């Protein structure tokens, strides 16, 4: 009987170890994919940056458009 319990616990331990290895492998894969995405980010843009007042006007225009006040 003790051998049966030991075999069951050993099997459960092996399954838990296998699950842990799978989780670590999937997490590592996701981490590497994120790192590759960061390396291949958008290329540099040669457009000038918006000034704060231009940015505010753009947001105001967008809000007015969403409300239906502008065509």
């Amino acid at each position: 009987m003790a051998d049966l319990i030991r075999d069951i616990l050993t099997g459960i331990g092996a399954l838990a170890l296998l699950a842990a290895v799978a989780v670590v492998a999937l997490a590592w894969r996701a981490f590497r994919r994120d790192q590759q995405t960061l390396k291949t980010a958008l290329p540099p843009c040669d457009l000038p940056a918006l000034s704060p007042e231009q940015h505010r006007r753009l947001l105001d225009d967008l809000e007015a458009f969403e409300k239906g006040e502008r065509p």
Side-chain angles (χ1 to χ4, degrees):
M1 184 68 168
D3 290 336
L4 178 63
I5 293 173
R6 188 173 338 137
D7 290 343
I8 290 172
L9 291 177
T10 302
I12 291 172
L15 288 176
L17 180 63
L18 183 62
V21 168
V23 167
V24 169
L26 288 173
W28 180 254
R29 181 178 171 194
F31 173 76
R32 294 295 297 157
R33 184 178 299 145
D34 287 345
Q35 294 300 316
Q36 291 299 324
T37 303
L38 291 176
K39 289 180 184 176
T40 59
L42 295 175
C45 180
D46 58 352
L47 294 175
L50 292 177
S51 67
E53 59 270 355
Q54 289 173 326
H55 188 259
R56 183 74 249 158
R57 279 194 311 244
L58 183 63
L59 289 178
D60 290 342
D61 286 345
L62 178 62
E63 289 174 8
F65 177 77
E66 287 176 343
K67 292 178 183 177
E69 298 171 358
R70 298 190 72 141

